[in-house]
Amino acid sequence: MRRRDGARALVRIAALACVAIPLAAAAADPQFPDGAASFQANCSVCHGAAGTGLPSLAPPLTSYPAQYAASAEGRRQLAMTVLYGLFGAITVGDKHFDFKMPDFSRLDDATLAATLNFVVFDLGHAPASVKPLTPAEIAAEREHPIDGAGVREHRKSVAPAAP
Ligand code: HEC
């Protein structure tokens, strides 16, 4: 290969990489773009941009939330967690966490529903049989304030059994 061809090929690879890397990192084309924006602004600092969590600090959101969204009590759990936070020891898969998630009750119902839908569908890949969370479901939980320890108590009835 002549030198010039090699240089041209390198430029082409660099140009492709510039397009491909940001798309992959941003979970290209989310189903819930408003939720994606809110997640990156409010949640990714602890849970990571792709929701994979931080070891011993914040749990991954790529599996359990999608499972919660398939049952009525699990959907309440999701709404409660963002409205009131979560406090105390929990297990996600074979990993343990014992920290405090802050509450996000300052965000409106539509924003919280969209944020959870981004978690459930874009990060968690819930099947199409699962219905997106609605602002009305968030509003219903706003009517019943509890604290982060209470949210953890309710979680026991919906979380998959620890291995
Ligand atoms: C300051 C760090 C922090 C931020 C910001 C944060 N979280 Fe959390 N989140 C946590 C921690 C820590 C836990 C686990 C708490 C525990 O150990 O009891 C958690 C738990 C959760 C859970 C429960 C997972 C399960 O298996 O039950 C969900 C759902 C969740 N967060 C969603 C969100 C969403 C959505 C946002 C943004 C609106 C967010 N979090 C913002 C730290 C954070």
Side-chain angles (χ1 to χ4, degrees), residues 42-43 45-47 57-59 61 64-65 68 78 81-82 86-88 90 92 97-102 104 115 155:
N42 297 300
C43 323
V45 59
C46 293
H47 291 286
L57 280 180
L61 303 177
Y64 282 17
Y68 297 156
L78 287 171
T81 304
V82 289
L86 180 61
F87 178 57
I90 62 165
V92 176
F97 300 88
D98 190 357
F99 212 50
K100 189 177 194 312
M101 167 159 153
F104 286 87
T115 310
R155 184 183 185 276

Side-chain angles (χ1 to χ4, degrees), residues 63-75 77-78 81 155 158-160:
S63 163
Y64 282 17
Q67 297 179 50
Y68 297 156
S71 75
E73 285 304 313
R75 297 168 77 88
Q77 178 69 26
L78 287 171
T81 304
R155 184 183 185 276
V158 298

Side-chain angles (χ1 to χ4, degrees), residues 23-161:
L23 279 182
D29 207 9
Q31 296 177 64
F32 294 90
D34 293 352
S38 164
F39 186 88
Q40 300 313 342
N42 297 300
C43 323
S44 65
V45 59
C46 293
H47 291 286
T52 46
L54 290 177
S56 333
L57 280 180
L61 303 177
T62 46
S63 163
Y64 282 17
Q67 297 179 50
Y68 297 156
S71 75
E73 285 304 313
R75 297 168 77 88
R76 291 190 57 214
Q77 178 69 26
L78 287 171
M80 285 178 201
T81 304
V82 289
L83 280 170
Y84 305 119
L86 180 61
F87 178 57
I90 62 165
T91 304
V92 176
D94 59 357
K95 304 272 190 309
H96 300 281
F97 300 88
D98 190 357
F99 212 50
K100 189 177 194 312
M101 167 159 153
D103 79 87
F104 286 87
S105 55
R106 67 177 186 279
L107 300 181
D108 64 41
D109 296 340
T111 302
L112 287 177
T115 310
L116 288 173
N117 285 329
F118 173 74
V119 170
V120 166
F121 295 96
D122 287 306
L123 300 181
H125 306 291
S129 56
V130 171
K131 300 269 171 296
L133 285 117
T134 63
E137 289 179 274
I138 309 294
E141 283 325 304
R142 255 190 228 274
E143 301 287 306
H144 310 286
I146 53 171
D147 62 12
V151 175
R152 172 176 173 268
E153 212 37 51
H154 184 263
R155 184 183 185 276
K156 290 179 183 164
S157 65
V158 298

